[in-house]
Amino acid sequence: MNILAPIGGRGEGWGRLWAPRQQLAELMMKRWFETIVPFAALLAVVAIFSILIPNYLSVDSMLLLGREFAGFGLVALAMAIVLIGGGIDISVGSTFALANFATLFLHLVLEWPLGGVIPAVVLLGAFLGAVNGVLIGFLRARALLTTMATLIIFRATYDLLIFNYATDIATGYSDSDFWYFLGEGFVAGLPVNLVVLLGIALLGHLVLSRSRIGWHVTAVGAGRLAARHAGLPVRSLVCGTYITSGMLAALAGMFYAARIVSPSRDAGLGMEMEALTAVVLGGVSLLGGKGSMGRALIGALTVLLLTNGLVRYGVEAGVNFLLLGVLLLIAVGIDVKWLKNLHRAIARFYTDPAPVALKAPAAGSVAALNHDLRGAYFIGFRGQDFLGQEDYILDDRELRLAAPEDVAIDAEGRVYTGTAGGLVIRYSGPHFSDREVFANIGGQVRGLAFRGADLYCCVAGLGLYRVRPDGSHDLLTNRTGTTLLRLRDDSRLILPCDLDIGPDGLVVFSESSVRYDIGSWITEAIECRPNGRLLAYDPASGRTRALLNRLVFPSGVCFDADGRSVLFAETWLARISRLWLSGPRAGQVETFADDLPGFPANINADPEGGYWIGILALRTPVHELALRHPGLRYRMVRRLPGDEWLVPNFNCGGALHLDAAGAITRALWDPPGRGQNYPAITSARRHGAYLYLGGILNNRIGRITLDPSQAEWQSPNVPSVPPVDIAAPEPAGAAE
């Protein structure tokens, strides 16, 4: 089920879904987006020449063009593999020419069988590539100057050979059917050389994208120094790319020889610049480390169609070279500028605030501001214990709390919490002075819930985990299905938040955002778009599915008493909703508590009835005014550093008790001022006579006495402060 309109009928849901800047940014982040421009250029060339030239797209014309494209495509792949590896090879045209001569000379003059000619020509290409590879890879010569020198040497060698053996080749003759098959044959209706090209391109794609050696080549192209520090054999990899380039260029020359059967002096002349233009136009970066075989072929086909179309249209040859030079300049400019500024362009559009109109919270003495949390006892904090005896100091730096976002208590009354460093810490003993690392998961631990003796955890960036009583842990899920009609792939869990476990073992948990990670979660308070979802993990099947998509920063999750429905909080909308899982209203969503005085976080059931809600931040008129003006927030994000953004009042922490109908029955606050201890409270969990507090911006767990008659010991109280109506709170400043 997808939530497309706002729960409760506010009328602004479609506005939150329409996010053109956000969708543009997510489109630009797609790997295939860079292929759109060269592919559009290819379609434009085809469309223009289809109009200008009669029968341009006829079958015979396309087959003839396909045979010509195969040879040029192999040379383009040769150039592409070197560029991806961080080099450049402008000797491919001369290698092509030498392979053309070697094929003709060995087969027509020396009368070698093709079974010996083909491997000999490929080995010749490998040798010529190895010359470049050794000089550049092992001797660290400059790639451009080195291949320019070998271009001259290879071309001069070809000219000398043609001068001496052109007559012998011209008078030679071959009666081999396979020779004519290589030049004029078809496989499945396609030219044989085109079939070979497509097979090599597919193999090259698999090697580059799916194999270790392909990843290593790309890593070397992206940064040789970093690759060398990572322990990669940089010299061998660079040399290997040039050897591969030489073999591909030689293979193209062999097919050219079988098709043309002519030792012409202009064979391969200028082909290196055409190939370079093609691959850069297709999206293979001159800076290295970026590109694919498919992009290289798109660029090669575009260049070939362009030059062929201009010739057929009657344009002079000089214009072709002029146009190719202009295209190369444009492609290089786009390549350099695109790589340098792509992240800036994405950042410019990525955050796209939505208009939000919150109703004023209902006035009343129950929700009035007070100082009831000032008397909370500190757990896990460096300071003095409640008896005023010796200092309660944490000597172990790793045990110092950072962002104890949630709290869980086991059957023995021991307190568990997670940290930003990936630890689950357990406190026990008198006054919780005994502390130990219960588990080390590795990511920021957010939501906690017990089922029996097992502790279930939501871990930011990693997924849903289960920790066994001995501290060992295992990953339950970190993936789910991709949401339809969403550009961003949300199959991987990014920001799981809170969870609860139903009577049948079903784990329902929230993912606050599929766009922002734990380091930038505050951006969701600025954007206020439906980037979150409610998920369910079934331990019987091991499957994870989405119960609700497109929620605005869902955080707290809690089953009701009979397990037939689940409550969830949408933090930045200041509301709590109920999703029915079974019964006659299964699948329906209804508002449980709306227009709360603060922004709700985790939800925990009260054993004596109702629910405790952690209040992450207090609502302020200035922030709510900004919510109604998305343009203001958009300019704020672009022009101001993050610590100067206009955000809710995180300086005031609170906990609300709601009854079974969603009405506020009790409010506990810790407003700013002298003696404040608990801002940004994200969890309020009751156990016995006590309420335990966790907070994402805190460095301690709080424990406050709710029922003194049941308490084993009490925290010292602070003098009472007259309550203040919270119906229209004054701004208390943004969180630091």
Side-chain angles (χ1 to χ4, degrees), residues 181-231:
F181 174 75
L182 290 178
E184 305 293 338
F186 292 88
V187 175
L190 297 176
V192 59
N193 57 352
L194 182 60
V195 173
V196 172
L197 169 66
L198 296 178
I200 291 176
L202 177 60
L203 178 62
H205 170 73
L206 294 176
V207 170
L208 283 176
S209 62
R210 298 292 187 272
S211 71
R212 189 180 301 274
I213 190 173
W215 301 335
H216 289 176
V217 168
T218 304
V220 169
R224 291 192 183 183
L225 182 60
R228 185 175 293 110
H229 289 167

Side-chain angles (χ1 to χ4, degrees), residues 307-658:
T307 55
N308 180 268
L310 291 175
V311 170
R312 292 176 62 179
Y313 192 66
V315 177
E316 296 181 1
V319 176
N320 285 357
F321 288 106
L322 174 63
L323 186 57
L324 286 178
V326 172
L327 282 178
L328 181 58
L329 285 176
I330 294 174
V332 170
I334 293 176
D335 173 56
V336 174
K337 289 296 183 181
W338 181 260
L339 290 178
K340 183 177 180 180
N341 298 304
L342 177 60
H343 67 285
R344 297 179 182 175
I346 293 175
R348 182 182 181 88
F349 300 113
Y350 196 75
T351 301
D352 189 10
V356 178
L358 298 180
K359 295 180 181 179
S365 59
V366 175
L369 197 64
N370 55 53
H371 291 72
D372 288 353
L373 296 181
R374 290 290 172 87
Y377 175 75
F378 300 164
I379 299 176
F381 177 72
R382 176 177 177 174
Q384 205 170 45
D385 67 16
F386 84 108
L387 294 177
Q389 297 177 354
E390 61 185 21
D391 285 347
Y392 177 35
I393 299 175
L394 295 180
D395 297 324
D396 299 326
R397 182 176 295 274
E398 68 173 3
L399 295 181
R400 296 184 182 181
L401 286 185
E405 193 168 346
D406 199 6
V407 181
I409 298 95
D410 64 11
E412 301 179 23
R414 295 175 294 187
V415 175
Y416 298 76
T417 191
T419 71
L423 302 180
V424 177
I425 299 180
R426 177 167 63 191
Y427 296 94
S428 59
H431 313 146
F432 302 102
S433 58
D434 297 332
R435 59 209 178 273
E436 60 181 317
V437 175
F438 179 62
N440 187 348
I441 300 179
Q444 180 164 337
V445 181
R446 308 194 68 199
L448 300 171
F450 271 104
R451 176 173 174 80
D454 293 335
L455 180 63
Y456 289 72
C457 308
C458 283
V459 184
L462 297 181
L464 179 66
Y465 279 77
R466 176 177 57 192
V467 183
R468 302 187 182 278
D470 60 358
S472 61
H473 57 273
D474 54 315
L475 174 66
L476 298 180
T477 180
N478 62 356
R479 305 189 73 88
T480 185
T482 302
T483 305
L484 296 177
L485 303 180
R486 189 190 288 276
L487 286 172
R488 184 183 180 93
D489 181 13
D490 58 357
S491 60
R492 186 67 179 254
L493 301 182
I494 296 178
L495 198 59
C497 184
D498 192 27
L499 75 154
D500 200 9
I501 307 171
D504 58 352
L506 182 70
V507 182
V508 177
F509 62 102
S510 59
E511 185 177 20
S512 299
S513 177
V514 299
R515 302 186 75 236
Y516 298 100
D517 59 19
I518 190 63
S520 52
W521 65 271
I522 193 61
T523 311
E524 284 284 358
I526 305 298
E527 194 168 82
C528 287
R529 289 202 179 273
N531 299 325
R533 52 188 175 173
L534 192 65
L535 305 171
Y537 168 75
D538 185 359
S541 63
R543 294 180 61 249
T544 303
R545 58 190 174 93
L547 299 177
L548 293 175
N549 280 310
R550 304 194 182 279
L551 301 176
V552 178
F553 205 80
S555 50
V557 176
C558 185
F559 276 92
D560 63 8
D562 57 8
R564 299 175 61 187
S565 66
V566 63
L567 303 179
F568 63 92
E570 288 183 279
T571 298
W572 307 128
L573 298 185
R575 74 181 175 201
I576 298 174
S577 304
R578 183 196 300 270
L579 169 65
W580 290 94
L581 301 178
S582 60
R585 289 183 287 180
Q588 297 182 15
V589 179
E590 63 185 31
T591 300
F592 178 75
D594 207 356
D595 304 318
L596 296 173
F599 295 100
N602 292 5
I603 308 171
N604 294 297
D606 188 333
E608 297 189 2
Y611 305 91
W612 281 100
I613 316 297
I615 299 299
L616 175 62
L618 192 65
R619 293 172 56 177
T620 64
V622 175
H623 174 253
E624 293 182 16
L625 177 64
L627 288 180
R628 293 194 291 270
H629 299 280
L632 169 66
R633 285 142 52 212
Y634 176 66
R635 291 190 296 272
M636 177 182 66
V637 170
R638 286 183 53 199
R639 299 177 182 179
L640 296 179
D643 58 352
E644 296 183 12
W645 290 352
L646 182 62
V647 295
N649 185 4
F650 289 101
N651 293 330
C652 183
L656 300 179
H657 184 270
L658 277 58

Side-chain angles (χ1 to χ4, degrees), residues 153-196:
I153 295 172
F154 296 165
R155 173 58 61 177
T157 303
Y158 176 75
D159 290 339
L160 290 174
L161 292 173
I162 289 299
F163 179 79
N164 289 289
Y165 296 101
T167 303
D168 296 336
I169 293 175
T171 58
Y173 173 77
S174 173
D175 58 356
S176 171
D177 293 335
F178 188 60
W179 172 254
Y180 292 101
F181 174 75
L182 290 178
E184 305 293 338
F186 292 88
V187 175
L190 297 176
V192 59
N193 57 352
L194 182 60
V195 173
V196 172

